[in-house]
Amino acid sequence: FQTATVADADSASVTVTVTYTAANGTFAGGGFTGAAGSYSFTGSPLAAQNALRALTFVPTANQVAVGGTVNTVFTVTVADG
């Protein structure tokens, strides 16, 4: 999410939520709260942007055999007010 941009001209606060298949891993950093599958952050648009950019996905260890792959789709939503 290093190039994500969060902006809202008429709101002092936004909530960013990131959802995905929980079995695939967790997030670290960024100040988000939650648990595997759903994390959120509430703050100013700039703070939310910085938090999203600092978020790091940590895949589940040994989820598949060596050489195998797991696809993880992330859904990012931003709500104001």
Side-chain angles (χ1 to χ4, degrees), residues 2 8 13 39 51 55 66 77:
Q2 292 179 349
D8 189 329
S13 179
Y39 287 82
L55 200 58
V66 175
T77 57

Side-chain angles (χ1 to χ4, degrees), residues 10-76:
D10 65 350
S11 181
S13 179
V14 296
T15 298
V16 177
T17 304
V18 181
T19 58
Y20 61 96
T21 302
N24 292 353
T26 59
F27 277 115
F32 277 70
T33 59
S38 181
Y39 287 82
S40 62
F41 177 91
T42 300
S44 71
L46 180 59
Q49 174 178 295
N50 291 336
L52 188 58
R53 289 180 177 183
L55 200 58
T56 301
F57 183 67
V58 181
T60 300
N62 305 313
Q63 187 176 9
V64 296
V66 175
T69 61
V70 174
N71 292 322
T72 303
V73 175
F74 301 99
T75 301
V76 179

